[in-house]
Amino acid sequence: MAPQLLRDSFIMTLLDFPILVGHLEIDSSGHARIVVDRDNINLPEYLESQSDVHFQDLQTSKFSWDALPRGVATTGSVTRLSADGTIKLANIHVVRLQDNSGLVLFINTTHAVFDGIGYCTFVNRWAEIAKWMRSGDTTRELPVFHGSFTRNTLARHVPIERRALDASTRNMFTTSSLLAKWLAWISPRTRGALIGSAVSLPQNKGHLFHISSPMLALLHSSIKEYVDCTERISDNDILTALVSMLVAQSEAEQITWYSHLGILNYLASYLIPSVFVQDREFATEIVIDTRPRLAGLRTAKYMGNAVFAGCLTNSLESMTGGINACSLALVARRVRQLVHHIGAPYIGQLFDTLNSDPSRFMCPLAQDITRMPAVVSNQSRFELYKADFGGGIPAWVSPIEIQFPHYVAIIPVHPSIGGYGIHITMSRKAMASILRNKFWMNTADLVY
């Protein structure tokens, strides 16, 4: 694809997504907002480069990040300052591979603007416009884009009814601390710099695994005898339970290792984040999309951030006593109960809780620093493989190599493969434990 066509189609896409040229600001009440000023637009970062890496080399490496052109990711998983001192709401890097053998597109948008649904809509709209321009058929009209970016759209679809939050989720958002208040008080620039530096530390490692459809069917079959015939256990329930147990066991192994340090164990108890809460439970934060749960929100084409995390706690014994059909079924059933419990009135209560204090959106992060729960985001329904810029769908799509420690993304794989991709970020010691876990390694294939 011609560089100018790709750039022109991107600019044209911005006309449908004007929020991406705004500035991230904090208002007088402490809430973040995006301000679009036609006299002071904040253009996204758009970079182009040429690489001596061939597409075939990437295929051979199974698209490992180690094989990608150096510097392809121009930003990390946290919003940070750009070279001109501003926070860009979108970062694009177009990398042309050797001998024009392929193209790598790095596309990043900040979570303050979009969640995954909004992100995919933006990417697919860009692809649609590029394909339309590339066809040269000016007689065919480009479909009109409809989307809403205002938070009021979300608020209008929240019902009057309320349902009490479960204790774990309520505590996650209401347990205040000086750290939470401080993180909410500092500017997005400072917060991004601090968190970004912590995430990019060299002791963190990301790996991509693949669980095939036949293997997932085998897991479903194995837990049947431990599940009531009236219960519907989904793929998400099993995968969330499995990776939560995996993270818990890998961290438990690190705690056991430190217990052999003698007097140093005393110091380690202060220096190392506590993974397990005081009542010997392990927490899993499950990312929930509100669109299917708020009537009309999906039809309204809301593009903003419409996700939140529900918190599930399980006993330490059930999470770290070994993964088998019985223990997996127990945790999967608890995941199902939490997800089933979350409806429109529950979401309304959550919004009330968050809006009552601007610092509450930082309470989960402040707690995560000390207890390090598993954070599971199921992105398998994201239309990441729909984007066709005129040359076919992508051969490979992946999140950024290093996310937050304990962050697990369940992602779609190429349609020709089937199953699910599981992207996990952990400390290097904990990741080594995962790679030794026999149940996991017999269930999942390591991609890179």
PDB file of all heavy atoms in Angstrom, residues 42-65:
ATOM      1  N   ASN A  42      -4.407  18.431  19.061  1.00  0.00           N
ATOM      2  CA  ASN A  42      -3.298  17.587  19.519  1.00  0.00           C
ATOM      3  C   ASN A  42      -3.225  16.380  18.577  1.00  0.00           C
ATOM      4  O   ASN A  42      -3.802  15.327  18.848  1.00  0.00           O
ATOM      5  CB  ASN A  42      -3.553  17.150  20.963  1.00  0.00           C
ATOM      6  CG  ASN A  42      -2.470  16.235  21.502  1.00  0.00           C
ATOM      7  OD1 ASN A  42      -1.322  16.275  21.060  1.00  0.00           O
ATOM      8  ND2 ASN A  42      -2.839  15.391  22.455  1.00  0.00           N
ATOM      9  N   LEU A  43      -2.528  16.546  17.467  1.00  0.00           N
ATOM     10  CA  LEU A  43      -2.483  15.487  16.461  1.00  0.00           C
ATOM     11  C   LEU A  43      -1.814  14.233  17.004  1.00  0.00           C
ATOM     12  O   LEU A  43      -0.822  14.310  17.734  1.00  0.00           O
ATOM     13  CB  LEU A  43      -1.724  15.963  15.224  1.00  0.00           C
ATOM     14  CG  LEU A  43      -2.483  16.879  14.253  1.00  0.00           C
ATOM     15  CD1 LEU A  43      -1.549  17.342  13.141  1.00  0.00           C
ATOM     16  CD2 LEU A  43      -3.700  16.160  13.668  1.00  0.00           C
ATOM     17  N   PRO A  44      -2.349  13.058  16.661  1.00  0.00           N
ATOM     18  CA  PRO A  44      -1.702  11.803  17.064  1.00  0.00           C
ATOM     19  C   PRO A  44      -0.294  11.708  16.490  1.00  0.00           C
ATOM     20  O   PRO A  44       0.024  12.326  15.473  1.00  0.00           O
ATOM     21  CB  PRO A  44      -2.611  10.725  16.473  1.00  0.00           C
ATOM     22  CG  PRO A  44      -3.942  11.388  16.299  1.00  0.00           C
ATOM     23  CD  PRO A  44      -3.625  12.802  15.952  1.00  0.00           C
ATOM     24  N   GLU A  45       0.536  10.912  17.155  1.00  0.00           N
ATOM     25  CA  GLU A  45       1.875  10.634  16.640  1.00  0.00           C
ATOM     26  C   GLU A  45       1.740   9.651  15.479  1.00  0.00           C
ATOM     27  O   GLU A  45       1.135   8.593  15.626  1.00  0.00           O
ATOM     28  CB  GLU A  45       2.736  10.040  17.753  1.00  0.00           C
ATOM     29  CG  GLU A  45       4.146   9.689  17.312  1.00  0.00           C
ATOM     30  CD  GLU A  45       4.939   9.040  18.416  1.00  0.00           C
ATOM     31  OE1 GLU A  45       4.613   7.879  18.777  1.00  0.00           O
ATOM     32  OE2 GLU A  45       5.867   9.676  18.962  1.00  0.00           O
ATOM     33  N   TYR A  46       2.321   9.988  14.337  1.00  0.00           N
ATOM     34  CA  TYR A  46       2.267   9.128  13.157  1.00  0.00           C
ATOM     35  C   TYR A  46       3.672   9.026  12.590  1.00  0.00           C
ATOM     36  O   TYR A  46       4.209   9.990  12.031  1.00  0.00           O
ATOM     37  CB  TYR A  46       1.302   9.698  12.112  1.00  0.00           C
ATOM     38  CG  TYR A  46       0.990   8.759  10.968  1.00  0.00           C
ATOM     39  CD1 TYR A  46      -0.202   8.040  10.941  1.00  0.00           C
ATOM     40  CD2 TYR A  46       1.887   8.595   9.909  1.00  0.00           C
ATOM     41  CE1 TYR A  46      -0.503   7.180   9.886  1.00  0.00           C
ATOM     42  CE2 TYR A  46       1.597   7.733   8.853  1.00  0.00           C
ATOM     43  CZ  TYR A  46       0.400   7.027   8.850  1.00  0.00           C
ATOM     44  OH  TYR A  46       0.110   6.168   7.808  1.00  0.00           O
ATOM     45  N   LEU A  47       4.291   7.854  12.747  1.00  0.00           N
ATOM     46  CA  LEU A  47       5.662   7.641  12.314  1.00  0.00           C
ATOM     47  C   LEU A  47       5.716   6.582  11.224  1.00  0.00           C
ATOM     48  O   LEU A  47       4.884   5.671  11.179  1.00  0.00           O
ATOM     49  CB  LEU A  47       6.533   7.201  13.495  1.00  0.00           C
ATOM     50  CG  LEU A  47       6.569   8.127  14.724  1.00  0.00           C
ATOM     51  CD1 LEU A  47       7.385   7.489  15.839  1.00  0.00           C
ATOM     52  CD2 LEU A  47       7.124   9.487  14.352  1.00  0.00           C
ATOM     53  N   GLU A  48       6.721   6.705  10.361  1.00  0.00           N
ATOM     54  CA  GLU A  48       6.947   5.724   9.305  1.00  0.00           C
ATOM     55  C   GLU A  48       8.419   5.341   9.290  1.00  0.00           C
ATOM     56  O   GLU A  48       9.295   6.185   9.517  1.00  0.00           O
ATOM     57  CB  GLU A  48       6.559   6.296   7.939  1.00  0.00           C
ATOM     58  CG  GLU A  48       5.082   6.632   7.809  1.00  0.00           C
ATOM     59  CD  GLU A  48       4.765   7.359   6.516  1.00  0.00           C
ATOM     60  OE1 GLU A  48       5.212   8.508   6.362  1.00  0.00           O
ATOM     61  OE2 GLU A  48       4.078   6.760   5.664  1.00  0.00           O
ATOM     62  N   SER A  49       8.710   4.072   9.048  1.00  0.00           N
ATOM     63  CA  SER A  49      10.099   3.627   8.991  1.00  0.00           C
ATOM     64  C   SER A  49      10.229   2.427   8.065  1.00  0.00           C
ATOM     65  O   SER A  49       9.242   1.775   7.726  1.00  0.00           O
ATOM     66  CB  SER A  49      10.626   3.283  10.390  1.00  0.00           C
ATOM     67  OG  SER A  49       9.919   2.185  10.940  1.00  0.00           O
ATOM     68  N   GLN A  50      11.470   2.162   7.673  1.00  0.00           N
ATOM     69  CA  GLN A  50      11.792   1.025   6.810  1.00  0.00           C
ATOM     70  C   GLN A  50      12.653   0.051   7.603  1.00  0.00           C
ATOM     71  O   GLN A  50      13.568   0.463   8.312  1.00  0.00           O
ATOM     72  CB  GLN A  50      12.552   1.496   5.569  1.00  0.00           C
ATOM     73  CG  GLN A  50      12.962   0.398   4.612  1.00  0.00           C
ATOM     74  CD  GLN A  50      11.778  -0.260   3.912  1.00  0.00           C
ATOM     75  OE1 GLN A  50      10.890   0.418   3.407  1.00  0.00           O
ATOM     76  NE2 GLN A  50      11.749  -1.591   3.899  1.00  0.00           N
ATOM     77  N   SER A  51      12.369  -1.258   7.493  1.00  0.00           N
ATOM     78  CA  SER A  51      13.101  -2.270   8.248  1.00  0.00           C
ATOM     79  C   SER A  51      13.826  -3.235   7.315  1.00  0.00           C
ATOM     80  O   SER A  51      13.399  -3.453   6.166  1.00  0.00           O
ATOM     81  CB  SER A  51      12.138  -3.048   9.154  1.00  0.00           C
ATOM     82  OG  SER A  51      12.774  -4.159   9.743  1.00  0.00           O
ATOM     83  N   ASP A  52      14.917  -3.812   7.815  1.00  0.00           N
ATOM     84  CA  ASP A  52      15.621  -4.848   7.054  1.00  0.00           C
ATOM     85  C   ASP A  52      15.163  -6.245   7.448  1.00  0.00           C
ATOM     86  O   ASP A  52      15.773  -7.244   7.072  1.00  0.00           O
ATOM     87  CB  ASP A  52      17.137  -4.713   7.244  1.00  0.00           C
ATOM     88  CG  ASP A  52      17.549  -4.817   8.710  1.00  0.00           C
ATOM     89  OD1 ASP A  52      16.662  -5.001   9.563  1.00  0.00           O
ATOM     90  OD2 ASP A  52      18.762  -4.713   8.991  1.00  0.00           O
ATOM     91  N   VAL A  53      14.066  -6.318   8.225  1.00  0.00           N
ATOM     92  CA  VAL A  53      13.467  -7.605   8.598  1.00  0.00           C
ATOM     93  C   VAL A  53      12.490  -8.022   7.506  1.00  0.00           C
ATOM     94  O   VAL A  53      11.676  -7.213   7.034  1.00  0.00           O
ATOM     95  CB  VAL A  53      12.740  -7.514   9.953  1.00  0.00           C
ATOM     96  CG1 VAL A  53      12.033  -8.825  10.278  1.00  0.00           C
ATOM     97  CG2 VAL A  53      13.717  -7.149  11.068  1.00  0.00           C
ATOM     98  N   HIS A  54      12.548  -9.280   7.102  1.00  0.00           N
ATOM     99  CA  HIS A  54      11.651  -9.797   6.067  1.00  0.00           C
ATOM    100  C   HIS A  54      10.429 -10.450   6.716  1.00  0.00           C
ATOM    101  O   HIS A  54      10.516 -11.015   7.816  1.00  0.00           O
ATOM    102  CB  HIS A  54      12.391 -10.819   5.190  1.00  0.00           C
ATOM    103  CG  HIS A  54      11.730 -11.098   3.876  1.00  0.00           C
ATOM    104  ND1 HIS A  54      10.657 -11.958   3.751  1.00  0.00           N
ATOM    105  CD2 HIS A  54      11.994 -10.618   2.624  1.00  0.00           C
ATOM    106  CE1 HIS A  54      10.286 -12.010   2.485  1.00  0.00           C
ATOM    107  NE2 HIS A  54      11.085 -11.206   1.765  1.00  0.00           N
ATOM    108  N   PHE A  55       9.299 -10.386   6.032  1.00  0.00           N
ATOM    109  CA  PHE A  55       8.069 -10.987   6.554  1.00  0.00           C
ATOM    110  C   PHE A  55       8.245 -12.474   6.844  1.00  0.00           C
ATOM    111  O   PHE A  55       7.715 -12.999   7.825  1.00  0.00           O
ATOM    112  CB  PHE A  55       6.921 -10.782   5.565  1.00  0.00           C
ATOM    113  CG  PHE A  55       5.621 -11.390   6.020  1.00  0.00           C
ATOM    114  CD1 PHE A  55       4.866 -10.790   7.016  1.00  0.00           C
ATOM    115  CD2 PHE A  55       5.154 -12.572   5.456  1.00  0.00           C
ATOM    116  CE1 PHE A  55       3.669 -11.357   7.446  1.00  0.00           C
ATOM    117  CE2 PHE A  55       3.966 -13.144   5.883  1.00  0.00           C
ATOM    118  CZ  PHE A  55       3.219 -12.530   6.875  1.00  0.00           C
ATOM    119  N   GLN A  56       9.012 -13.137   6.000  1.00  0.00           N
ATOM    120  CA  GLN A  56       9.232 -14.574   6.193  1.00  0.00           C
ATOM    121  C   GLN A  56       9.943 -14.851   7.517  1.00  0.00           C
ATOM    122  O   GLN A  56       9.688 -15.874   8.157  1.00  0.00           O
ATOM    123  CB  GLN A  56      10.046 -15.137   5.027  1.00  0.00           C
ATOM    124  CG  GLN A  56      10.043 -16.659   4.945  1.00  0.00           C
ATOM    125  CD  GLN A  56      10.652 -17.164   3.652  1.00  0.00           C
ATOM    126  OE1 GLN A  56      11.581 -16.574   3.112  1.00  0.00           O
ATOM    127  NE2 GLN A  56      10.110 -18.265   3.138  1.00  0.00           N
ATOM    128  N   ASP A  57      10.828 -13.934   7.929  1.00  0.00           N
ATOM    129  CA  ASP A  57      11.506 -14.083   9.214  1.00  0.00           C
ATOM    130  C   ASP A  57      10.504 -14.029  10.370  1.00  0.00           C
ATOM    131  O   ASP A  57      10.629 -14.764  11.355  1.00  0.00           O
ATOM    132  CB  ASP A  57      12.554 -12.978   9.396  1.00  0.00           C
ATOM    133  CG  ASP A  57      13.648 -13.038   8.336  1.00  0.00           C
ATOM    134  OD1 ASP A  57      13.923 -14.149   7.855  1.00  0.00           O
ATOM    135  OD2 ASP A  57      14.208 -11.976   8.004  1.00  0.00           O
ATOM    136  N   LEU A  58       9.523 -13.170  10.238  1.00  0.00           N
ATOM    137  CA  LEU A  58       8.487 -13.064  11.274  1.00  0.00           C
ATOM    138  C   LEU A  58       7.635 -14.322  11.318  1.00  0.00           C
ATOM    139  O   LEU A  58       7.295 -14.817  12.403  1.00  0.00           O
ATOM    140  CB  LEU A  58       7.612 -11.838  11.014  1.00  0.00           C
ATOM    141  CG  LEU A  58       8.306 -10.474  11.054  1.00  0.00           C
ATOM    142  CD1 LEU A  58       7.287  -9.361  10.856  1.00  0.00           C
ATOM    143  CD2 LEU A  58       9.054 -10.286  12.363  1.00  0.00           C
ATOM    144  N   GLN A  59       7.290 -14.838  10.155  1.00  0.00           N
ATOM    145  CA  GLN A  59       6.510 -16.074  10.108  1.00  0.00           C
ATOM    146  C   GLN A  59       7.262 -17.224  10.760  1.00  0.00           C
ATOM    147  O   GLN A  59       6.687 -18.012  11.516  1.00  0.00           O
ATOM    148  CB  GLN A  59       6.175 -16.431   8.660  1.00  0.00           C
ATOM    149  CG  GLN A  59       5.014 -15.667   8.067  1.00  0.00           C
ATOM    150  CD  GLN A  59       4.648 -16.179   6.692  1.00  0.00           C
ATOM    151  OE1 GLN A  59       5.511 -16.341   5.827  1.00  0.00           O
ATOM    152  NE2 GLN A  59       3.368 -16.428   6.474  1.00  0.00           N
ATOM    153  N   THR A  60       8.537 -17.319  10.466  1.00  0.00           N
ATOM    154  CA  THR A  60       9.355 -18.403  11.022  1.00  0.00           C
ATOM    155  C   THR A  60       9.408 -18.330  12.537  1.00  0.00           C
ATOM    156  O   THR A  60       9.406 -19.358  13.222  1.00  0.00           O
ATOM    157  CB  THR A  60      10.783 -18.339  10.444  1.00  0.00           C
ATOM    158  OG1 THR A  60      10.711 -18.440   9.012  1.00  0.00           O
ATOM    159  CG2 THR A  60      11.639 -19.470  10.985  1.00  0.00           C
ATOM    160  N   SER A  61       9.430 -17.123  13.079  1.00  0.00           N
ATOM    161  CA  SER A  61       9.517 -16.932  14.537  1.00  0.00           C
ATOM    162  C   SER A  61       8.155 -16.967  15.206  1.00  0.00           C
ATOM    163  O   SER A  61       8.052 -16.728  16.410  1.00  0.00           O
ATOM    164  CB  SER A  61      10.187 -15.600  14.852  1.00  0.00           C
ATOM    165  OG  SER A  61       9.317 -14.520  14.529  1.00  0.00           O
ATOM    166  N   LYS A  62       7.099 -17.248  14.428  1.00  0.00           N
ATOM    167  CA  LYS A  62       5.713 -17.211  14.918  1.00  0.00           C
ATOM    168  C   LYS A  62       5.358 -15.816  15.432  1.00  0.00           C
ATOM    169  O   LYS A  62       4.624 -15.655  16.393  1.00  0.00           O
ATOM    170  CB  LYS A  62       5.477 -18.264  16.012  1.00  0.00           C
ATOM    171  CG  LYS A  62       5.668 -19.688  15.528  1.00  0.00           C
ATOM    172  CD  LYS A  62       5.411 -20.686  16.656  1.00  0.00           C
ATOM    173  CE  LYS A  62       5.604 -22.118  16.183  1.00  0.00           C
ATOM    174  NZ  LYS A  62       5.375 -23.102  17.260  1.00  0.00           N
ATOM    175  N   PHE A  63       5.930 -14.827  14.779  1.00  0.00           N
ATOM    176  CA  PHE A  63       5.668 -13.419  15.067  1.00  0.00           C
ATOM    177  C   PHE A  63       6.084 -13.031  16.490  1.00  0.00           C
ATOM    178  O   PHE A  63       5.438 -12.187  17.129  1.00  0.00           O
ATOM    179  CB  PHE A  63       4.205 -13.074  14.807  1.00  0.00           C
ATOM    180  CG  PHE A  63       3.779 -13.295  13.388  1.00  0.00           C
ATOM    181  CD1 PHE A  63       3.092 -14.448  13.033  1.00  0.00           C
ATOM    182  CD2 PHE A  63       4.104 -12.383  12.402  1.00  0.00           C
ATOM    183  CE1 PHE A  63       2.723 -14.682  11.707  1.00  0.00           C
ATOM    184  CE2 PHE A  63       3.738 -12.607  11.080  1.00  0.00           C
ATOM    185  CZ  PHE A  63       3.050 -13.754  10.726  1.00  0.00           C
ATOM    186  N   SER A  64       7.160 -13.624  16.947  1.00  0.00           N
ATOM    187  CA  SER A  64       7.699 -13.280  18.262  1.00  0.00           C
ATOM    188  C   SER A  64       8.111 -11.816  18.290  1.00  0.00           C
ATOM    189  O   SER A  64       8.648 -11.281  17.312  1.00  0.00           O
ATOM    190  CB  SER A  64       8.914 -14.160  18.568  1.00  0.00           C
ATOM    191  OG  SER A  64       9.649 -13.633  19.658  1.00  0.00           O
ATOM    192  N   TRP A  65       7.895 -11.171  19.426  1.00  0.00           N
ATOM    193  CA  TRP A  65       8.297  -9.772  19.563  1.00  0.00           C
ATOM    194  C   TRP A  65       9.806  -9.615  19.414  1.00  0.00           C
ATOM    195  O   TRP A  65      10.293  -8.560  18.984  1.00  0.00           O
ATOM    196  CB  TRP A  65       7.833  -9.217  20.906  1.00  0.00           C
ATOM    197  CG  TRP A  65       6.440  -8.668  20.843  1.00  0.00           C
ATOM    198  CD1 TRP A  65       5.272  -9.356  21.006  1.00  0.00           C
ATOM    199  CD2 TRP A  65       6.064  -7.313  20.549  1.00  0.00           C
ATOM    200  NE1 TRP A  65       4.198  -8.523  20.847  1.00  0.00           N
ATOM    201  CE2 TRP A  65       4.657  -7.269  20.581  1.00  0.00           C
ATOM    202  CE3 TRP A  65       6.782  -6.155  20.296  1.00  0.00           C
ATOM    203  CZ2 TRP A  65       3.945  -6.081  20.341  1.00  0.00           C
ATOM    204  CZ3 TRP A  65       6.077  -4.975  20.057  1.00  0.00           C
ATOM    205  CH2 TRP A  65       4.684  -4.947  20.085  1.00  0.00           C
TER     206      TRP A  65
END
